[in-house]
Amino acid sequence: MFALANKVAIVTGASSGIGRATAKLFTEQGAKLVVAARRQAELEALVAEIEDAAGTAIALAGDVRDEAYAKALVDLAVGRFGGLDIAFNNAGSVGQMGPVPDMLLKTWHETIDTNLTGAFIGAKYQVPALLERGGGSLIFTSSFVGRTAGIPGMAAYAAAKAGLIGLTQVLAAEYGAQGLRVNALLPGGTDTPGATTTTPEARAFVEGIHALKRMAQPQEIARSALYLASDASSFTTGTALFADGGVSINRT
Ligand SMILES: NC(=O)c1ccc[n+]([C@@H]2O[C@H](COP(=O)([O-])OP(=O)(O)OC[C@H]3O[C@@H](n4cnc5c(N)ncnc54)[C@H](OP(=O)(O)O)[C@@H]3O)[C@@H](O)[C@H]2O)c1
């Protein structure tokens, strides 16, 4: 049910954190992967690890804000592996934080471009390839931030992550009849280099706002991505799936 044998996937943000853990899990389940991020050396190290474990992956480094890169990732999946069945648009970053009156327009654009426009550009090229194979699964990494929590200093990031849910819903409606499922995954605080918990105090705060009183390991979020990627979620589309340790409901 969770197997991805004979499936081809693109995973963005694969050089680190959630994307890296998901790339490894997808290949363990039999998928052939195109892994994407800006840092070439990290991607190559990931591919070596996957190949050591008898998996199949190829890396292409670039910036998700670059339309030519989005097209090249799809072309690589089709050219090397024959098509595309799954796309996990996961690349993102919190960007520069600060109160709205102090936020530079440049900062706003950078964060929106990375987290939202990058996902749109990815989908623009992935959708035709996914439809070519009869549908498949398109996933965006959103966040509890922007959906159920307003966290001071994160205006651009929250707007981008909320925007991904709208994008998810429209794409799910546009292509459901053609067998394409589209979902957003909303992690809670996750122990990755991209997390904002850089001091013990910040970490204690973030752990405390979750019902489970801890942060997630990236492998735990990867398992939710696998659920959305695989046939296990065959009747799930247009949803915003929380894997958030209860941060959204917690009041303790
Ligand atoms: N950690 C959390 O608490 C948390 C919670 C909710 C949601 N999320 C979301 O989960 C996703 C993964 O984050 P993470 O926590 O795993 O952080 P991470 O370890 O910093 O990973 C972020 C990944 O995105 C890539 N990336 C960032 N900007 C990019 C760009 N312009 N072009 C291409 N790749 C880019 C990074 O690769 P390069 O630097 O090599 O380009 C890296 O592989 C993000 O969308 C994040 O917003 C995280």
Side-chain angles (χ1 to χ4, degrees):
M1 180 88 34
F2 290 90
L4 300 180
N6 303 317
K7 302 285 188 193
V8 180
I10 292 172
V11 174
T12 73
S15 63
S16 176
I18 293 167
R20 191 177 208 282
T22 303
K24 291 180 74 171
L25 184 59
F26 281 11
T27 52
E28 282 164 25
Q29 293 300 318
K32 296 184 177 69
L33 243 62
V34 174
V35 291
R38 289 165 300 184
R39 286 171 291 168
Q40 176 114 33
E42 277 77 357
L43 290 180
E44 281 170 7
L46 170 64
V47 168
E49 260 182 57
I50 288 170
E51 288 177 346
D52 281 351
T56 304
I58 185 166
L60 183 63
D63 193 313
V64 293
R65 294 169 290 188
D66 175 6
E67 193 165 353
Y69 179 57
K71 181 176 184 306
L73 289 172
V74 174
D75 288 347
L76 187 58
V78 174
R80 189 62 67 96
F81 300 131
L84 183 67
D85 304 291
I86 298 156
F88 183 41
N89 291 294
N90 164 77
S93 80
V94 169
Q96 203 173 326
M97 291 172 59
V100 167
D102 299 338
M103 190 174 282
L104 300 176
L105 190 54
K106 180 174 171 291
T107 301
W108 170 269
H109 280 308
E110 278 170 2
T111 306
I112 297 287
D113 286 353
T114 301
N115 291 283
L116 180 57
T117 311
F120 155 73
I121 295 170
K124 178 176 155 69
Y125 290 95
Q126 292 153 6
V127 166
L130 290 163
L131 295 178
E132 189 76 23
R133 296 258 276 203
S137 176
L138 183 54
I139 307 159
F140 300 102
T141 304
S142 174
S143 174
F144 71 103
V145 175
R147 178 66 164 183
T148 56
I151 301 200
M154 289 192 162
Y157 181 74
K161 293 302 189 185
L164 284 175
I165 296 170
L167 178 63
T168 295
Q169 291 171 349
V170 170
L171 283 168
E174 282 180 345
Y175 297 106
Q178 292 170 72
L180 176 59
R181 296 185 299 104
V182 187
N183 291 287
L185 176 58
L186 282 63
T190 307
D191 200 359
T192 71
T196 54
T197 46
T198 47
T199 63
E201 294 75 22
R203 188 177 177 103
F205 170 76
V206 170
E207 288 177 346
I209 62 176
H210 291 73
L212 293 180
K213 301 301 174 197
R214 66 176 179 87
M215 293 175 73
Q217 290 304 306
Q219 292 79 5
E220 297 181 278
I221 307 304
R223 290 198 288 273
S224 294
L226 175 61
Y227 167 69
L228 292 175
S230 69
D231 290 346
S233 62
S234 56
F235 204 60
T236 300
T237 194
T239 195
L241 179 74
F242 288 109
D244 76 344
V247 67
S248 298
I249 53 82
N250 190 51
R251 299 292 180 272
T252 64

